[in-house]
């Protein structure tokens, strides 16, 4: 998958989302997580630019549904994530999308969708899998 394919998949996933949805994103640096969030935000009619919240931890965007973009790269454990207010977003009225979700796996709600990103065989190719339940 390239960038346009990633955005297309994000649009398809976003079409079925309702308030309270949680997406847990897993993958290495540069594997397409933020690209996916950008496509999802676009599908939810967010008009402002979407950037990775690596230093702010959480960015809020507003469109057809609020999008709460969380980046746990700098978080060490679940308690740090909770101290940052993650639980308020997990049960909020918008769509919560969490990059580096493995750092707070135990606090994710059972209804979370798990989206795993990995590198493909070609330089710019990515493999993306979407599942419900706990991540593999």
């Amino acid at each position: 998958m390239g960038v346009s394919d990633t955005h297309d998949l994000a649009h398809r996933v976003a079409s079925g989302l309702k308030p309270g949805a949680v997406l847990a994103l897993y993958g290495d640096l540069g594997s397409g997580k933020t690209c996916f969030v950008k496509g999802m935000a676009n599908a939810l009619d967010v008009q402002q630019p979407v950037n990775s919240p690596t230093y702010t931890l959480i960015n809020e965007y507003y469109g057809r549904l609020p999008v709460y973009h969380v980046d746990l790269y700098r978080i060490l454990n679940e308690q740090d994530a909770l101290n940052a207010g993650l639980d308020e977003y997990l049960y909020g009225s918008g769509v919560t999308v969490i990059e580096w979700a493995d750092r707070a796996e135990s606090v994710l709600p059972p209804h979370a969708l798990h989206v795993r990103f990995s590198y493909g065989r070609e330089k710019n190719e990515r493999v993306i899998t979407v599942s419900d339940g706990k991540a593999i």
Side-chain angles (χ1 to χ4, degrees):
M1 283 192 160
V3 171
S4 63
D5 297 320
T6 300
H7 284 183
D8 289 346
L9 175 61
H11 275 253
R12 289 194 309 271
V13 170
S15 70
L17 296 178
K18 298 185 180 352
V22 175
L23 286 88
L25 309 185
Y26 305 86
D28 292 331
L29 286 170
S31 61
K33 297 180 302 292
T34 301
C35 180
F36 182 86
V37 177
K38 289 178 180 186
M40 177 163 291
N42 178 269
L44 294 173
D45 301 326
V46 169
Q47 299 300 310
Q48 60 202 110
V50 173
N51 298 302
S52 179
T54 300
Y55 295 100
T56 59
L57 298 181
I58 302 169
N59 287 340
E60 297 182 10
Y61 303 103
Y62 296 93
R64 185 167 41 86
L65 289 172
V67 176
Y68 309 123
H69 183 191
V70 180
D71 187 324
L72 299 180
Y73 182 72
R74 297 189 170 280
I75 294 292
L76 299 176
N77 55 45
E78 287 90 355
Q79 191 57 52
D80 285 349
L82 294 173
N83 289 344
L86 177 62
D87 54 333
E88 296 173 28
Y89 291 95
L90 293 177
Y91 301 97
S93 59
V95 173
T96 304
V97 187
I98 307 167
E99 295 191 43
W100 302 97
D102 52 312
R103 301 191 180 188
E105 184 76 26
S106 69
V107 301
L108 297 177
H111 66 274
L113 288 176
H114 297 269
V115 185
R116 186 165 299 279
F117 298 78
S118 58
Y119 296 104
R121 293 178 191 218
E122 302 297 321
K123 180 180 178 185
N124 293 320
E125 182 184 18
R126 301 295 184 264
V127 177
I128 304 171
T129 57
V130 180
S131 63
D132 56 3
K134 290 293 178 193
I136 299 169

